[in-house]
Structures are given as structure tokens and as C-alpha cells.
Coordinates of all heavy atoms in Angstrom, one line a residue:
M22 N 86.3 130.2 62.7 CA 86.9 129.9 64.0 C 87.6 131.1 64.6 O 87.6 131.3 65.8 CB 87.8 128.7 63.8 CG 88.5 128.2 65.0 SD 87.3 127.4 66.2 CE 88.3 126.8 67.4
N23 N 88.4 131.8 63.7 CA 89.1 132.9 64.2 C 88.2 134.0 64.8 O 88.6 134.6 65.8 CB 90.0 133.5 63.1 CG 91.2 132.8 62.9 OD1 91.7 132.0 63.7 ND2 91.8 132.9 61.7
F24 N 87.0 134.2 64.2 CA 86.1 135.2 64.8 C 85.7 134.8 66.2 O 85.6 135.6 67.1 CB 84.9 135.3 63.9 CG 83.8 136.2 64.5 CD1 84.0 137.6 64.5 CD2 82.7 135.7 65.0 CE1 83.1 138.4 65.0 CE2 81.7 136.5 65.6 CZ 81.9 137.9 65.6
A25 N 85.4 133.5 66.4 CA 85.0 133.1 67.7 C 86.1 133.2 68.8 O 85.8 133.6 69.9 CB 84.5 131.6 67.7
V26 N 87.3 133.0 68.4 CA 88.4 133.1 69.3 C 88.6 134.6 69.6 O 88.8 134.9 70.8 CB 89.7 132.5 68.7 CG1 90.9 132.8 69.5 CG2 89.5 131.0 68.5
Y27 N 88.6 135.4 68.6 CA 88.8 136.9 68.9 C 87.7 137.4 69.7 O 87.9 138.2 70.6 CB 89.0 137.6 67.6 CG 90.3 137.5 66.9 CD1 90.4 137.0 65.6 CD2 91.5 137.8 67.6 CE1 91.6 136.8 65.0 CE2 92.7 137.6 67.0 CZ 92.8 137.1 65.7 OH 94.0 136.9 65.1
F28 N 86.4 137.0 69.4 CA 85.3 137.5 70.2 C 85.4 137.0 71.7 O 85.1 137.8 72.6 CB 84.0 137.0 69.6 CG 82.8 137.4 70.3 CD1 82.3 138.7 70.2 CD2 82.1 136.5 71.2 CE1 81.2 139.1 70.9 CE2 81.0 136.9 71.9 CZ 80.5 138.3 71.7
S29 N 85.8 135.8 71.9 CA 85.9 135.3 73.3 C 87.0 136.0 74.0 O 86.9 136.3 75.2 CB 86.1 133.8 73.3 OG 87.3 133.4 72.7
F30 N 88.1 136.3 73.3 CA 89.2 137.1 73.9 C 88.8 138.4 74.3 O 89.1 138.9 75.4 CB 90.4 137.2 72.9 CG 91.7 137.7 73.4 CD1 92.4 136.9 74.2 CD2 92.1 139.0 73.2 CE1 93.6 137.4 74.8 CE2 93.2 139.5 73.7 CZ 94.0 138.7 74.5
I31 N 88.0 139.1 73.5 CA 87.5 140.5 73.8 C 86.5 140.4 75.0 O 86.6 141.2 75.9 CB 86.9 141.1 72.6 CG1 87.9 141.4 71.6 CG2 86.1 142.4 73.0 CD1 87.4 141.9 70.2
A32 N 85.6 139.4 75.0 CA 84.6 139.2 76.0 C 85.3 138.9 77.4 O 84.9 139.5 78.4 CB 83.6 138.2 75.7
L33 N 86.3 138.1 77.3 CA 87.0 137.7 78.6 C 87.8 138.9 79.1 O 87.9 139.2 80.3 CB 88.0 136.6 78.3 CG 87.3 135.2 78.2 CD1 88.4 134.2 77.7 CD2 86.7 134.7 79.5
T34 N 88.4 139.7 78.2 CA 89.1 140.9 78.6 C 88.2 142.0 79.3 O 88.5 142.5 80.3 CB 89.8 141.6 77.4 OG1 90.7 140.6 76.8 CG2 90.7 142.8 77.9
I35 N 87.0 142.2 78.7 CA 86.0 143.1 79.3 C 85.6 142.6 80.6 O 85.5 143.4 81.6 CB 84.8 143.3 78.3 CG1 85.3 144.1 77.1 CG2 83.7 144.0 79.0 CD1 84.3 144.1 76.0
S36 N 85.3 141.3 80.7 CA 84.9 140.7 82.0 C 86.0 140.8 83.1 O 85.7 141.0 84.2 CB 84.5 139.2 81.8 OG 83.5 139.1 80.9
L37 N 87.3 140.7 82.6 CA 88.4 140.8 83.5 C 88.5 142.2 84.1 O 88.6 142.4 85.3 CB 89.7 140.5 82.8 CG 91.0 140.6 83.7 CD1 91.0 139.5 84.7 CD2 92.2 140.4 82.8
F38 N 88.3 143.2 83.3 CA 88.3 144.6 83.8 C 87.1 144.9 84.7 O 87.3 145.6 85.7 CB 88.4 145.6 82.7 CG 89.8 145.7 82.0 CD1 89.9 145.4 80.7 CD2 90.9 146.1 82.8 CE1 91.2 145.5 80.1 CE2 92.1 146.1 82.2 CZ 92.3 145.8 80.9
A39 N 86.0 144.3 84.4 CA 84.8 144.5 85.3 C 85.1 143.8 86.6 O 84.7 144.4 87.7 CB 83.6 144.0 84.6
G40 N 85.7 142.7 86.6 CA 86.0 142.0 87.9 C 87.1 142.7 88.7 O 87.0 142.8 89.9
L41 N 88.0 143.3 88.0 CA 89.1 144.1 88.7 C 88.4 145.3 89.4 O 88.8 145.7 90.5 CB 90.2 144.4 87.8 CG 91.1 143.3 87.4 CD1 92.1 143.8 86.3 CD2 91.8 142.7 88.6
Y42 N 87.5 145.9 88.7 CA 86.8 147.1 89.3 C 86.0 146.6 90.5 O 86.1 147.3 91.6 CB 85.9 147.7 88.3 CG 85.0 148.8 88.8 CD1 85.5 150.0 89.1 CD2 83.7 148.5 89.1 CE1 84.7 151.0 89.7 CE2 82.9 149.5 89.7 CZ 83.4 150.8 90.0 OH 82.6 151.7 90.5
R43 N 85.4 145.5 90.4 CA 84.6 145.0 91.6 C 85.5 144.6 92.7 O 85.2 144.7 93.9 CB 83.7 143.8 91.2 CG 82.9 143.2 92.2 CD 81.9 144.2 92.7 NE 81.0 143.6 93.7 CZ 80.2 144.3 94.5 NH1 80.1 145.6 94.3 NH2 79.5 143.7 95.4
L44 N 86.7 144.1 92.4 CA 87.7 143.7 93.4 C 88.1 145.0 94.2 O 88.3 144.9 95.4 CB 88.9 143.1 92.7 CG 90.0 142.6 93.7 CD1 89.5 141.5 94.6 CD2 91.2 142.1 92.9
L45 N 88.3 146.1 93.5 CA 88.8 147.3 94.2 C 87.6 147.9 95.0 O 87.9 148.6 96.0 CB 89.3 148.3 93.1 CG 90.6 147.8 92.4 CD1 91.0 148.8 91.3 CD2 91.7 147.6 93.4
T46 N 86.4 147.8 94.6 CA 85.3 148.4 95.2 C 84.4 147.5 96.1 O 83.4 147.9 96.6 CB 84.4 149.1 94.2 OG1 83.8 148.2 93.3 CG2 85.1 150.2 93.4
G47 N 84.8 146.2 96.2 CA 84.0 145.3 96.9 C 83.8 145.7 98.4 O 84.7 146.1 99.0
P48 N 82.6 145.6 98.9 CA 82.3 146.1 100.2 C 82.9 145.2 101.3 O 83.3 145.7 102.4 CB 80.8 146.1 100.3 CG 80.3 145.1 99.2 CD 81.4 145.1 98.2
T49 N 82.9 143.9 101.1 CA 83.4 143.0 102.2 C 84.5 142.1 101.7 O 84.7 141.9 100.5 CB 82.2 142.1 102.8 OG1 81.8 141.3 101.7 CG2 81.1 143.0 103.3
L50 N 85.2 141.5 102.7 CA 86.2 140.5 102.3 C 85.8 139.3 101.6 O 86.4 138.9 100.6 CB 87.0 140.1 103.6 CG 88.2 139.2 103.4 CD1 89.3 139.9 102.6 CD2 88.7 138.8 104.8
P51 N 84.7 138.7 102.0 CA 84.2 137.5 101.2 C 83.9 137.9 99.7 O 84.1 137.1 98.8 CB 82.9 137.0 101.9 CG 83.1 137.5 103.3 CD 83.9 138.8 103.2
D52 N 83.3 139.1 99.5 CA 83.1 139.5 98.1 C 84.3 139.6 97.3 O 84.4 139.2 96.1 CB 82.4 140.9 98.1 CG 81.0 140.8 98.6 OD1 80.3 139.7 98.6 OD2 80.5 141.8 99.1
R53 N 85.4 140.1 97.9 CA 86.6 140.3 97.2 C 87.3 138.9 96.9 O 87.9 138.7 95.9 CB 87.6 141.1 98.0 CG 87.1 142.6 98.0 CD 88.0 143.5 98.8 NE 87.5 144.8 98.7 CZ 88.0 145.8 99.3 NH1 88.9 145.7 100.2 NH2 87.4 147.0 99.2
I54 N 87.1 138.0 97.8 CA 87.6 136.6 97.6 C 87.0 135.9 96.4 O 87.6 135.3 95.6 CB 87.5 135.8 98.9 CG1 88.4 136.3 100.0 CG2 87.8 134.3 98.7 CD1 88.2 135.8 101.4
V55 N 85.6 136.1 96.4 CA 84.9 135.5 95.2 C 85.4 136.2 93.9 O 85.5 135.5 92.9 CB 83.4 135.7 95.4 CG1 82.6 135.3 94.2 CG2 82.9 134.8 96.6
V56 N 85.6 137.5 94.0 CA 86.0 138.2 92.7 C 87.4 137.7 92.4 O 87.8 137.6 91.2 CB 85.9 139.7 92.9 CG1 86.5 140.4 91.7 CG2 84.5 140.1 93.0
M57 N 88.3 137.5 93.4 CA 89.6 137.0 93.0 C 89.6 135.6 92.3 O 90.3 135.4 91.4 CB 90.5 136.9 94.3 CG 91.0 138.2 94.8 SD 91.9 138.2 96.3 CE 92.8 136.7 96.3
D58 N 88.6 134.8 92.8 CA 88.5 133.5 92.1 C 88.0 133.7 90.6 O 88.4 133.0 89.7 CB 87.5 132.6 92.8 CG 88.1 132.0 94.1 OD1 89.3 132.0 94.2 OD2 87.3 131.6 94.9
L59 N 87.1 134.7 90.5 CA 86.5 135.0 89.1 C 87.7 135.5 88.2 O 87.8 135.1 87.1 CB 85.4 136.0 89.2 CG 84.9 136.6 87.9 CD1 84.2 135.6 87.1 CD2 84.2 137.9 88.1
V60 N 88.5 136.4 88.8 CA 89.6 137.0 88.0 C 90.6 135.9 87.6 O 91.0 135.8 86.4 CB 90.3 138.1 88.7 CG1 91.6 138.5 88.1 CG2 89.3 139.3 88.8
A61 N 90.9 135.0 88.5 CA 91.8 133.9 88.2 C 91.2 133.0 87.1 O 91.9 132.5 86.2 CB 92.1 133.1 89.4
S62 N 89.9 132.7 87.2 CA 89.2 131.9 86.1 C 89.2 132.6 84.8 O 89.4 132.0 83.7 CB 87.8 131.6 86.5 OG 87.7 130.9 87.7
L63 N 89.1 133.9 84.8 CA 89.1 134.7 83.5 C 90.5 134.7 82.9 O 90.7 134.6 81.7 CB 88.6 136.1 83.7 CG 87.1 136.3 84.0 CD1 86.8 137.7 84.4 CD2 86.3 135.8 82.8
V64 N 91.5 134.8 83.8 CA 92.9 134.7 83.3 C 93.2 133.3 82.7 O 93.8 133.2 81.6 CB 93.9 135.0 84.5 CG1 95.3 134.7 84.1 CG2 93.8 136.5 84.8
I65 N 92.7 132.3 83.3 CA 92.8 130.9 82.8 C 92.1 130.9 81.4 O 92.7 130.3 80.4 CB 92.3 129.9 83.7 CG1 93.2 129.8 85.0 CG2 92.2 128.5 83.0 CD1 92.6 128.9 86.1
G66 N 91.0 131.5 81.3 CA 90.2 131.5 80.0 C 91.0 132.3 79.0 O 91.1 131.8 77.8
L67 N 91.7 133.4 79.4 CA 92.5 134.1 78.4 C 93.7 133.3 77.9 O 94.1 133.3 76.8 CB 92.9 135.4 79.0 CG 91.9 136.5 79.1 CD1 92.4 137.7 80.0 CD2 91.5 137.0 77.7
I68 N 94.3 132.6 78.9 CA 95.4 131.7 78.5 C 95.0 130.6 77.5 O 95.7 130.4 76.5 CB 96.1 131.1 79.7 CG1 96.8 132.2 80.6 CG2 97.1 130.0 79.4 CD1 97.3 131.7 81.9
L69 N 93.8 130.0 77.8 CA 93.4 129.0 76.9 C 93.0 129.5 75.5 O 93.2 128.9 74.5 CB 92.2 128.2 77.6 CG 92.5 127.4 78.8 CD1 91.3 126.8 79.4 CD2 93.6 126.4 78.5
T70 N 92.4 130.7 75.5 CA 92.1 131.4 74.2 C 93.4 131.7 73.5 O 93.4 131.5 72.2 CB 91.3 132.7 74.5 OG1 90.2 132.4 75.3 CG2 90.9 133.3 73.2
Y71 N 94.4 132.1 74.1 CA 95.7 132.4 73.5 C 96.3 131.1 72.9 O 96.8 131.0 71.8 CB 96.7 133.0 74.5 CG 98.0 133.3 73.9 CD1 98.2 134.4 73.0 CD2 99.1 132.5 74.1 CE1 99.4 134.7 72.4 CE2 100.3 132.8 73.6 CZ 100.5 133.9 72.7 OH 101.7 134.2 72.2
I72 N 96.1 130.0 73.7 CA 96.6 128.7 73.2 C 95.8 128.3 71.9 O 96.4 127.8 71.0 CB 96.4 127.6 74.3 CG1 97.4 127.8 75.4 CG2 96.6 126.2 73.7 CD1 97.2 127.0 76.6
M73 N 94.5 128.5 71.9 CA 93.7 128.2 70.7 C 94.2 129.0 69.5 O 94.1 128.6 68.4 CB 92.3 128.4 71.0 CG 91.7 127.3 71.9 SD 90.0 127.6 72.3 CE 89.2 127.5 70.7
L74 N 94.5 130.3 69.8 CA 94.9 131.2 68.7 C 96.3 130.9 68.1 O 96.4 130.9 66.9 CB 94.9 132.6 69.2 CG 95.0 133.8 68.3 CD1 93.9 133.7 67.3 CD2 95.1 135.1 69.0
T75 N 97.2 130.5 69.0 CA 98.6 130.3 68.5 C 99.0 128.9 68.4 O 99.9 128.6 67.7 CB 99.6 131.0 69.5 OG1 99.5 130.4 70.8 CG2 99.3 132.5 69.5
G76 N 98.4 128.0 69.1 CA 98.7 126.6 69.1 C 99.9 126.2 70.0 O 100.4 125.1 69.9
Q77 N 100.4 127.2 70.8 CA 101.5 126.9 71.7 C 101.0 126.3 73.0 O 100.5 126.9 73.9 CB 102.2 128.2 72.1 CG 102.9 128.8 70.9 CD 103.6 130.1 71.3 OE1 103.4 130.6 72.4 NE2 104.3 130.7 70.3
T78 N 101.1 125.0 73.1 CA 100.5 124.2 74.2 C 101.3 124.3 75.5 O 100.9 123.8 76.5 CB 100.3 122.8 73.8 OG1 101.6 122.2 73.5 CG2 99.3 122.6 72.7
V79 N 102.5 125.0 75.4 CA 103.3 125.1 76.6 C 102.7 125.9 77.7 O 102.9 125.7 78.9 CB 104.7 125.6 76.2 CG1 104.6 127.1 75.9 CG2 105.7 125.4 77.4
F80 N 101.8 126.8 77.3 CA 101.1 127.6 78.3 C 100.0 126.9 79.0 O 99.4 127.4 80.0 CB 100.5 128.9 77.6 CG 101.6 129.8 77.1 CD1 101.7 130.0 75.8 CD2 102.4 130.5 78.0 CE1 102.7 130.9 75.3 CE2 103.4 131.3 77.6 CZ 103.5 131.5 76.2
L81 N 99.7 125.7 78.6 CA 98.7 124.9 79.3 C 99.1 124.5 80.7 O 98.3 124.5 81.6 CB 98.4 123.6 78.5 CG 97.2 122.8 78.9 CD1 95.9 123.6 78.9 CD2 97.1 121.5 78.0
N82 N 100.4 124.3 80.9 CA 101.0 124.1 82.2 C 100.8 125.3 83.1 O 100.5 125.1 84.3 CB 102.4 123.7 82.1 CG 102.7 122.4 81.4 OD1 101.8 121.6 81.4 ND2 103.9 122.3 80.8
V83 N 100.9 126.5 82.6 CA 100.7 127.7 83.3 C 99.2 127.8 83.8 O 99.0 128.1 85.0 CB 101.1 128.9 82.5 CG1 100.7 130.2 83.3 CG2 102.5 128.9 82.1
A84 N 98.3 127.4 82.9 CA 96.9 127.5 83.3 C 96.6 126.4 84.4 O 95.8 126.7 85.3 CB 96.0 127.2 82.1
V85 N 97.2 125.3 84.3 CA 96.9 124.3 85.4 C 97.5 124.7 86.7 O 96.9 124.5 87.8 CB 97.6 122.9 84.9 CG1 97.6 121.9 86.1 CG2 96.8 122.4 83.7
V86 N 98.7 125.3 86.7 CA 99.3 125.8 87.9 C 98.5 126.9 88.6 O 98.2 126.9 89.8 CB 100.8 126.3 87.7 CG1 101.3 127.0 88.9 CG2 101.6 125.1 87.4
I87 N 98.0 127.8 87.7 CA 97.1 128.9 88.3 C 95.8 128.3 88.9 O 95.4 128.7 89.9 CB 96.8 129.9 87.2 CG1 98.0 130.7 86.8 CG2 95.7 130.9 87.6 CD1 97.8 131.6 85.6
A88 N 95.2 127.3 88.2 CA 94.0 126.7 88.7 C 94.3 126.0 90.1 O 93.5 126.1 91.0 CB 93.5 125.7 87.7
L89 N 95.4 125.3 90.2 CA 95.7 124.7 91.5 C 96.0 125.7 92.6 O 95.5 125.5 93.7 CB 97.0 123.8 91.3 CG 96.7 122.5 90.5 CD1 98.1 121.8 90.2 CD2 95.8 121.6 91.2
L90 N 96.7 126.8 92.3 CA 96.9 127.8 93.3 C 95.6 128.5 93.7 O 95.4 128.8 94.9 CB 97.9 128.9 92.7 CG 99.3 128.4 92.6 CD1 100.2 129.5 91.9 CD2 99.9 128.1 94.0
V91 N 94.7 128.7 92.8 CA 93.5 129.4 93.1 C 92.6 128.4 94.0 O 92.0 128.9 95.0 CB 92.7 129.8 91.8 CG1 91.3 130.1 92.1 CG2 93.4 130.9 91.1
F92 N 92.6 127.2 93.7 CA 91.9 126.2 94.5 C 92.4 126.2 95.9 O 91.7 126.2 96.9 CB 92.0 124.8 93.9 CG 91.3 123.7 94.7 CD1 90.0 123.7 94.8 CD2 92.1 122.8 95.3 CE1 89.3 122.7 95.5 CE2 91.5 121.8 96.1 CZ 90.1 121.8 96.2
M93 N 93.8 126.1 96.1 CA 94.4 126.1 97.4 C 94.1 127.4 98.2 O 93.8 127.3 99.4 CB 95.9 125.8 97.3 CG 96.2 124.4 96.7 SD 95.5 123.1 97.7 CE 96.4 123.2 99.2
S94 N 94.2 128.5 97.5 CA 93.9 129.8 98.2 C 92.5 129.9 98.6 O 92.2 130.5 99.6 CB 94.3 130.9 97.3 OG 93.5 131.0 96.1
S95 N 91.6 129.3 97.8 CA 90.1 129.4 98.2 C 89.9 128.6 99.4 O 89.1 129.0 100.3 CB 89.3 128.8 97.0 OG 89.3 129.6 95.9
I96 N 90.5 127.4 99.6 CA 90.4 126.6 100.8 C 91.0 127.4 102.0 O 90.4 127.4 103.0 CB 91.1 125.3 100.6 CG1 90.3 124.4 99.6 CG2 91.2 124.5 101.9 CD1 91.0 123.2 99.2
A97 N 92.2 128.0 101.8 CA 92.8 128.8 102.9 C 91.9 129.9 103.3 O 91.8 130.2 104.5 CB 94.2 129.2 102.4
F98 N 91.4 130.7 102.4 CA 90.5 131.8 102.7 C 89.2 131.3 103.4 O 88.8 132.0 104.3 CB 90.2 132.6 101.5 CG 91.2 133.6 101.1 CD1 91.7 133.6 99.8 CD2 91.8 134.5 102.0 CE1 92.6 134.5 99.4 CE2 92.8 135.3 101.6 CZ 93.2 135.4 100.3
A99 N 88.7 130.2 103.0 CA 87.5 129.7 103.6 C 87.8 129.3 105.1 O 87.0 129.6 106.0 CB 87.0 128.5 102.9
K100 N 88.9 128.7 105.3 CA 89.3 128.3 106.7 C 89.5 129.6 107.5 O 89.1 129.7 108.7 CB 90.5 127.5 106.7 CG 90.3 126.0 106.3 CD 91.5 125.2 106.5 CE 91.1 123.8 106.2 NZ 92.2 122.8 106.6
Y101 N 90.1 130.6 106.9 CA 90.4 131.9 107.6 C 89.0 132.5 108.0 O 88.8 133.0 109.1 CB 91.2 132.8 106.8 CG 91.3 134.2 107.3 CD1 92.0 134.5 108.4 CD2 90.6 135.2 106.6 CE1 92.1 135.8 108.9 CE2 90.6 136.5 107.1 CZ 91.4 136.8 108.2 OH 91.4 138.1 108.7
L102 N 88.1 132.6 107.1 CA 86.8 133.2 107.3 C 86.0 132.4 108.3 O 85.3 133.0 109.2 CB 86.0 133.3 106.0 CG 86.6 134.4 105.1 CD1 85.7 134.4 103.8 CD2 86.5 135.8 105.7
K103 N 86.2 131.1 108.3 CA 85.4 130.3 109.3 C 85.9 130.6 110.7 O 85.1 130.7 111.6 CB 85.6 128.8 109.0 CG 84.8 127.9 109.8 CD 85.0 126.4 109.3 CE 84.3 125.5 110.2 NZ 84.5 124.1 109.8
R104 N 87.3 130.7 110.9 CA 87.8 131.0 112.2 C 87.4 132.4 112.6 O 87.2 132.7 113.8 CB 89.3 130.9 112.2 CG 89.8 129.4 112.5 CD 91.2 129.4 112.7 NE 91.8 128.9 111.4 CZ 93.0 129.3 111.0 NH1 93.7 130.2 111.6 NH2 93.4 128.8 109.8
R105 N 87.4 133.3 111.6 CA 87.1 134.7 111.9 C 85.6 134.9 112.4 O 85.3 135.7 113.2 CB 87.4 135.6 110.7 CG 87.2 137.0 110.9 CD 87.6 137.7 109.7 NE 87.3 139.2 109.8 CZ 87.2 140.0 108.8 NH1 87.5 139.6 107.6 NH2 87.0 141.2 109.0
M106 N 84.7 134.1 111.8 CA 83.3 134.1 112.1 C 83.0 133.6 113.5 O 82.1 134.0 114.2 CB 82.5 133.4 111.1 CG 82.5 134.0 109.8 SD 81.8 135.7 109.9 CE 81.1 135.9 108.3
R107 N 83.9 132.7 114.0 CA 83.7 132.1 115.3 C 83.9 133.1 116.4 O 83.4 133.0 117.5 CB 84.6 130.9 115.5 CG 84.1 129.7 114.7 CD 85.0 128.5 115.0 NE 84.6 127.4 114.2 CZ 85.3 126.3 114.1 NH1 86.4 126.1 114.8 NH2 84.9 125.3 113.3
R108 N 84.8 134.1 116.2 CA 85.1 135.0 117.2 C 84.1 136.1 117.4 O 83.2 136.4 117.0 CB 86.5 135.7 116.8 CG 87.6 134.8 116.9 CD 88.9 135.5 116.5 NE 89.9 134.5 116.4 CZ 91.1 134.8 116.0 NH1 91.4 136.1 115.8 NH2 92.0 133.9 115.9

């Protein structure tokens, strides 16, 4: 079990850095918004992996709050892009 947790932690970290690189080099605003959602999902995955490793369930609340904030920001960005496309 420990091998799987450590392997997923490493894979999520590598994916996080790849996503951050794409966030900095993204050609358009919608691409960057999608990558921000990806990075937030990877951070939630890292938090859940840390919870599995240590057993400290207090960080579960942090993951839920991040998920709610990302959901609300995705809706706000979608409305912003919709208004921007009409012009």
C-alpha cells in the first residue's frame, strides 16, 4: 500500500509541474482556465494522498473547500467568457 501511495504522490507532483508549465505558456485565456482547474484537481489529489499516508483527516475539509472554490470560479470564468464572446 505504501508503494502505491508514494507512486501516486510522485505522479501527481510531476503532473502538477507539467500543468504549471502549461499555465504559464498557454496561448489563450480558456486554455489557462482549463489548466487552472487541472492544477486545482491535482492539488486536491495531493491532499488526499497525504491524508492516506498520514491518516490526518482534518485536511479533508481543506480539499472540500478547494473543490468548492474551483467549481465557483469555473462558473464565474464561463460567464465572463460568454459575455466576452458576445462583444
Side-chain angles (χ1 to χ4, degrees):
M22 181 69 174
N23 281 339
F24 174 74
V26 172
Y27 286 123
F28 179 76
S29 64
F30 190 75
I31 291 169
L33 287 169
T34 304
I35 292 169
S36 300
L37 180 68
F38 284 120
L41 288 174
Y42 173 75
R43 182 65 179 168
L44 180 66
L45 295 174
T46 61
T49 63
L50 183 63
D52 291 334
R53 290 181 178 172
I54 292 170
V55 169
V56 172
M57 284 178 33
D58 287 341
L59 171 71
V60 167
S62 298
L63 291 171
V64 168
I65 291 170
L67 285 170
I68 291 170
L69 295 177
T70 305
Y71 181 76
I72 290 171
M73 290 176 62
L74 189 63
T75 62
Q77 296 179 352
T78 59
V79 70
F80 293 113
L81 189 59
N82 295 333
V83 175
V85 170
V86 168
I87 291 172
L89 290 173
L90 287 174
V91 168
F92 177 71
M93 295 301 291
S94 67
S95 296
I96 292 173
F98 279 130
K100 285 188 176 191
Y101 168 74
L102 289 176
K103 186 177 178 181
R104 274 191 259 145
R105 186 175 172 195
M106 293 299 207
R107 286 184 184 169
R108 294 181 188 176

